């Protein structure tokens, strides 16, 4: 039996430490675009110890006193660019200072705009200057006076803003800048915080086995798309707004792992583990129960494949502390999975609910019914192809029914045909969470397979969901999905976009389905074309029903001729 975890109340989150980092690029005649990387010295208690990073560090209070030494950027401009009320220029100064301290490169210029010549000082004096700066014995004002220059802050472009995930012992609020390496200067490690300096292509930095922070890896992958330093800096300057990025922490087989916005588990982690304890999952593990709320427990079937993704999700739904629980979509008739479901049940299984009878969703119902005696709820499909024909529900649902599963647990049945004629979604009204089966999936669109699948009906079913008050989707495959209405609208737009491709292809010439498939699904891997053909056929049948195309399944298709 899976019980709700008794999680300790987390301590207050550590105060975020403001930091700045500078991405320094150069163009190498043979290698192409290179980025300056430094490997941090090994230090006890430093969560970034030994990592390959860009120059950077914490803001220093003394940096605020050097705004008058900044060329081309004032504090009002810097603050507006960063969305701060004031002291945005503090980050620019800190980025320049850290780059000089750690890498020996000084972004500064004289009144004529010429970059500083560091060779005016002998090597020992230059080392002493950097060490004094690192020890807070002097500030950037003294450095500028020594060379008779101002900080060339206009050469820096604001690139990105990252905040350490919740749950880490130290939280850094870091602004990243990007610049081209100052000509005529040589990067030299400081031998204090830096163990090694390296000029590498982004691809080399990613492939050499360095310890890389999440933000560093993401940044290197982005930089790999630029052909030159100037192109990368220009991209940063052209950003209309620089978003704040705060990853979340989840649990993987290898331990705690950061998850970035846009990654599939990201939204779910924010719901199940907002404090970053590492209790949420980064990957869906078959057989491992996970509480999504006090009312909902998920168990994934071990049937992962090209069509089922990580596996079919089964959900237990019930009132906290109750001994009566509904099981939605038991999945395949797999003995190990059935055993895992029976072991995970938070109480007695008193209802078995089915979204539809495709063979990855309903066959396990028979074994669960045999073990528990629980009645089954669902609807029989109109066409037997690809169906679990053995499913005969104890209670037939048609949509519109309300199932009360306990105190504060209300499921409303919504008939959503299209993917399958008997497809049902279940809305947990108290959480505005819709169990979608295969009506909506994470990471891909569902196959519409005639005759039981119907594209026109599917689109109408999607549109009807826009009238529902929804906050979350619990799909039959994948993690929880937020912003349901945006997902629904995107799915509708995708389907209509595919339909437009069909019409455009038919406008060129009448053609058989095989030729249409190659054109309309050119963006789909060839290995999936057999499956895509089913959805193509569904689009064609919809267009025929709309009076816009003419043809027959398996034959040639053309635009419908207007009536004489």
């Amino acid at each position: 039996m899976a019980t709700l975890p008794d999680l300790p109340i987390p301590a207050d989150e550590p105060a975020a430490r403001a930091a700045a980092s500078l991405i320094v690029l150069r163009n190498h005649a043979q290698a192409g675009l290179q980025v300056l990387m430094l490997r941090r010295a090994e230090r006890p208690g430093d969560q970034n110890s030994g990592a390959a990073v860009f120059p950077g560090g914490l803001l220093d209070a003394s940096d605020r006193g050097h705004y008058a030494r900044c060329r081309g950027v004032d504090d009002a401009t810097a603050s507006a660019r960063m969305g701060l009320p004031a002291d945005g220029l503090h980050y620019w100064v800190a980025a320049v200072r850290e780059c000089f301290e750690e890498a020996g490169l000084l972004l500064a210029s004289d009144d004529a705009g010429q970059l500083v010549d560091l060779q005016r000082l002998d090597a020992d004096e230059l080392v002493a200057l950097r060490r004094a700066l690192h020890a807070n014995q002097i500030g950037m004002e003294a450095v500028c006076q020594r060379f008779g220059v101002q900080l060339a802050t206009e050469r820096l472009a604001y690139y990105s803003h990252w905040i350490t995930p919740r749950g880490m012992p130290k939280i850094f609020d870091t602004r990243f800048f990007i610049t081209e390496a100052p000509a005529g200067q040589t990067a030299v490690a400081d031998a204090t915080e830096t163990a090694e300096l390296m000029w590498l292509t982004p691809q080399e930095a990613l492939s050499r086995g360095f310890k890389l922070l999440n933000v560093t890896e993401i940044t290197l992958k982005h930089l790999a798309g630029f052909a030159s330093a100037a192109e990368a800096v220009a991209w940063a300057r052209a950003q209309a707004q620089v978003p704040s990025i705060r990853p979340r922490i989840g649990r993987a087989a290898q331990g705690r792992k950061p998850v970035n916005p846009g990654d599939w588990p990201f939204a779910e982690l924010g719901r199940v583990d907002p404090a970053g304890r590492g209790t949420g999952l980064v990957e869906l593990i078959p057989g491992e129960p996970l509480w999504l709320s006090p009312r909902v427990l998920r168990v994934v079937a071990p049937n992962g494949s090209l069509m089922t993704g990580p596996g079919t999700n089964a959900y237990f739904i019930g009132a906290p502390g109750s001994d009566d629980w509904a099981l939605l979509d038991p999945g395949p008739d797999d003995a190990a999975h059935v055993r895992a479901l029976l072991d995970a049940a938070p109480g007695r299984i008193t209802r078995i609910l089915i979204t539809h009878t495709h063979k990855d969703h309903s066959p396990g119902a028979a074994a669960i019914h045999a073990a528990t005696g629980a009645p089954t709820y669902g609807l029989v499909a109109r066409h037997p192809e690809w169906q679990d024909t053995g499913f005969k529900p104890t209670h037939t649902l048609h949509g519109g029914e309300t199932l009360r599963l306990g105190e504060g647990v209300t499921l409303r049945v919504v008939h959503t045909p299209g993917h399958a004629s008997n497809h049902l979604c279940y809305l947990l009204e108290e959480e505005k969470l819709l169990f979608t089966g295969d009506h909506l999936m994470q990471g891909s669109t569902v196959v519409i397979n005639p005759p039981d699948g119907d594209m026109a009906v599917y689109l109408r079913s999607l549109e009807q969901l826009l009238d529902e008050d929804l906050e979350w989707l619990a799909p039959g495959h994948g993690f929880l999905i937020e912003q349901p209405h945006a997902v629904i609208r995107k799915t509708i737009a995708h389907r209509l976009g595919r339909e437009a491709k069909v019409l455009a292809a038919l406008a060129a010439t009448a053609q058989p389905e095989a030729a249409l498939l190659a054109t309309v699904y050119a963006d789909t891997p060839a290995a999936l074309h057999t499956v895509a053909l089913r959805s193509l056929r569904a689009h064609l049948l919809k267009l025929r029903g709309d009076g816009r195309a003419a043809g027959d399944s398996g034959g040639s298709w053309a635009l419908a001729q207007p009536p004489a």
Side-chain angles (χ1 to χ4, degrees), residues 248 259-270 281-284 298 305-306 308-311 441-445 472-473 475 477-482 490:
R248 290 168 176 158
V259 174
N260 298 309
D263 291 346
W264 288 1
F266 184 81
E268 180 176 300
L269 287 173
L281 293 176
V282 171
E283 52 205 14
L284 295 173
R298 183 182 62 211
S305 71
L306 187 66
T308 62
M441 294 172 60
Q442 187 178 58
S444 67
T445 53
W472 290 92
L473 303 177
H477 308 274
F479 295 89
L480 292 181
I481 303 170
E482 63 180 350
K490 182 178 180 180

Side-chain angles (χ1 to χ4, degrees), residues 44-289:
D46 181 358
Q47 64 195 40
N48 300 333
S49 180
V53 298
F54 311 115
L58 296 174
L59 272 61
D60 191 287
S62 68
D63 294 333
R64 283 198 185 96
H66 308 317
Y67 293 174
R69 283 285 188 176
C70 294
R71 186 187 302 278
V73 182
D74 59 23
D75 186 57
T77 302
S79 300
R81 178 66 169 142
M82 302 173 77
L84 297 172
D87 285 324
L89 197 54
H90 194 172
Y91 290 86
W92 259 264
V93 176
V96 173
R97 172 180 53 76
E98 287 287 340
C99 185
F100 183 53
E101 284 183 17
E102 296 184 336
L105 299 179
L106 181 57
L107 277 297
S109 58
D110 60 23
D111 291 340
Q114 295 296 312
L115 286 171
V116 62
D117 179 8
L118 296 182
Q119 295 181 356
R120 287 164 48 189
L121 299 185
D122 64 44
D124 289 342
E125 185 177 354
L126 193 58
V127 168
L129 193 66
R130 291 171 62 194
R131 286 180 176 172
L133 186 63
H134 180 266
N136 290 322
Q137 296 170 350
I138 62 171
M140 289 304 292
E141 173 72 20
V143 174
C144 288
Q145 288 179 348
R146 183 66 184 85
F147 287 101
V149 293
Q150 289 185 302
L151 302 180
T153 43
E154 81 281 359
R155 292 176 61 90
L156 277 61
Y158 184 31
Y159 176 83
S160 64
H161 178 202
W162 288 72
I163 305 172
T164 307
R166 289 186 174 92
M168 297 297 288
K170 294 179 181 178
I171 305 296
F172 296 96
D173 184 336
T174 308
R175 312 282 180 147
F176 287 80
F177 300 85
I178 192 167
T179 190
E180 296 188 57
Q185 297 185 24
T186 302
V188 180
D190 66 358
T192 303
E193 294 184 340
T194 306
E196 181 182 10
L197 286 181
M198 304 163 285
W199 284 104
L200 303 168
T201 68
Q203 295 87 344
E204 288 171 338
L206 288 164
S207 64
R208 289 196 178 180
F210 297 125
K211 175 183 176 181
L212 296 175
L213 306 180
N214 175 52
V215 58
T216 310
E217 182 176 352
I218 296 298
T219 301
L220 287 169
K221 289 178 179 178
H222 183 238
L223 293 174
F226 295 107
S228 68
E231 182 182 331
V233 174
W235 176 89
R237 293 194 191 282
Q239 293 183 94
Q241 187 174 7
V242 177
S244 296
I245 302 171
R246 188 167 200 182
R248 290 168 176 158
I249 292 292
R251 176 165 53 89
Q254 301 80 16
R256 286 156 58 94
K257 180 180 177 181
V259 174
N260 298 309
D263 291 346
W264 288 1
F266 184 81
E268 180 176 300
L269 287 173
R271 174 184 166 110
V272 304
D273 185 20
R277 301 183 184 96
T279 56
L281 293 176
V282 171
E283 52 205 14
L284 295 173
I285 303 173
E288 180 169 337

Side-chain angles (χ1 to χ4, degrees), residues 205-554:
L206 288 164
S207 64
R208 289 196 178 180
F210 297 125
K211 175 183 176 181
L212 296 175
L213 306 180
N214 175 52
V215 58
T216 310
E217 182 176 352
I218 296 298
T219 301
L220 287 169
K221 289 178 179 178
H222 183 238
L223 293 174
F226 295 107
S228 68
E231 182 182 331
V233 174
W235 176 89
R237 293 194 191 282
Q239 293 183 94
Q241 187 174 7
V242 177
S244 296
I245 302 171
R246 188 167 200 182
R248 290 168 176 158
I249 292 292
R251 176 165 53 89
Q254 301 80 16
R256 286 156 58 94
K257 180 180 177 181
V259 174
N260 298 309
D263 291 346
W264 288 1
F266 184 81
E268 180 176 300
L269 287 173
R271 174 184 166 110
V272 304
D273 185 20
R277 301 183 184 96
T279 56
L281 293 176
V282 171
E283 52 205 14
L284 295 173
I285 303 173
E288 180 169 337
L290 181 73
W291 286 97
L292 303 176
S293 81
R295 299 181 183 93
V296 182
L297 176 72
R298 183 182 62 211
V299 180
V300 183
N303 64 334
S305 71
L306 187 66
M307 296 300 296
T308 62
T312 303
N313 292 333
Y315 296 96
F316 289 98
I317 309 162
S322 167
D323 195 38
D324 295 323
W325 289 78
L327 173 59
L328 185 145
D329 278 358
D333 185 12
D334 176 274
H337 177 54
V338 169
R339 184 72 262 162
L341 291 174
L342 294 171
D343 290 345
R348 293 183 308 121
I349 300 174
T350 55
R351 292 180 178 88
I352 303 168
L353 311 178
I354 301 300
T355 60
H356 64 299
T357 52
H358 286 166
K359 295 178 182 179
D360 55 326
H361 285 262
S362 64
I368 297 293
H369 170 73
T372 65
T376 56
Y377 295 70
L379 183 62
V380 174
R382 295 175 184 173
H383 302 274
E385 186 182 22
W386 306 101
Q387 304 293 337
D388 169 20
T389 55
F391 178 76
K392 300 294 187 291
T394 311
H395 302 282
T396 297
L397 301 174
H398 297 282
E401 298 89 352
T402 296
L403 307 177
R404 303 194 185 280
L405 307 185
E407 184 68 28
V409 185
T410 309
L411 275 184
R412 179 155 53 84
V413 184
V414 184
H415 187 207
T416 51
H419 173 65
S421 61
N422 63 339
H423 198 288
L424 303 169
C425 292
Y426 296 81
L427 175 59
L428 179 54
E429 293 185 337
E430 287 79 4
E431 298 188 11
K432 301 180 181 180
L433 183 150
L434 185 72
F435 296 94
T436 66
D438 280 356
H439 192 57
L440 289 158
M441 294 172 60
Q442 187 178 58
S444 67
T445 53
V446 300
V447 177
I448 309 299
N449 186 30
D452 198 57
D454 187 307
M455 187 65 72
V457 172
Y458 178 66
L459 288 169
R460 287 198 295 271
S461 293
L462 288 172
E463 288 167 356
Q464 86 177 39
L465 290 182
L466 293 173
D467 296 328
E468 298 287 354
D469 187 8
L470 304 175
E471 291 185 359
W472 290 92
L473 303 177
H477 308 274
F479 295 89
L480 292 181
I481 303 170
E482 63 180 350
Q483 301 180 347
H485 291 111
V487 172
I488 294 166
R489 290 189 179 95
K490 182 178 180 180
T491 303
I492 293 171
H494 173 80
R495 293 294 188 179
L496 293 179
R498 192 72 76 182
E499 180 178 287
K501 288 185 177 182
V502 174
L503 289 170
L506 292 178
T509 182
Q511 49 192 301
E513 289 177 353
L516 284 170
L517 181 67
T519 301
V520 175
Y521 286 86
D523 57 344
T524 301
L528 297 177
H529 276 197
T530 301
V531 175
L533 178 60
R534 305 176 198 169
S535 290
L536 171 63
R537 198 164 285 160
H539 277 294
L540 290 166
L541 292 173
K542 175 187 177 295
L543 289 170
R544 187 176 70 182
D546 294 341
R548 303 170 72 187
D552 293 297
S553 294

